[in-house]
Amino acid sequence: ARQGLDLKSREIATIAALTAMGDAKPQLKVHIQAGLNVGLTKTEIIETIIQMSVYAGFPRALNGITAAKEVFAENEEN
């Protein structure tokens, strides 16, 4: 309910943080879906995750990309 950030910005921050943690795949997938629901594009989500490779390491970013691909595929099935 706070007004400091819009929903898209909050989801970008959350996706970035969960990607950096590296061990929160279920939560990351929930927030990737939430990001799509509030209007983030697939490109914005992937770019957020790729940006984390510099700060959190390539393996964690790669895991994040895998989670994103799974969410994107699940959305195409439905």
Side-chain angles (χ1 to χ4, degrees):
R2 294 184 322 271
Q3 297 178 1
L5 293 172
D6 63 14
L7 291 176
K8 288 173 71 171
S9 298
R10 289 179 193 279
E11 287 303 333
I12 286 173
T14 304
I15 290 166
L18 290 170
T19 298
M21 288 175 62
D23 60 354
K25 184 177 179 180
Q27 295 84 359
L28 178 57
K29 288 179 71 173
V30 166
H31 283 282
I32 290 169
Q33 183 61 56
L36 293 170
N37 291 346
V38 298
L40 291 176
T41 66
K42 291 178 181 180
T43 300
E44 289 171 323
I45 291 168
I46 294 296
E47 287 298 323
T48 299
I49 294 169
I50 290 170
Q51 181 68 18
M52 291 301 97
S53 68
V54 177
Y55 301 98
F58 185 75
R60 289 180 177 182
L62 192 57
N63 290 341
I65 295 292
T66 300
K69 286 183 178 182
E70 290 174 10
V71 172
F72 300 159
E74 290 166 7
N75 282 328
E76 290 177 7
E77 293 173 4
N78 297 328

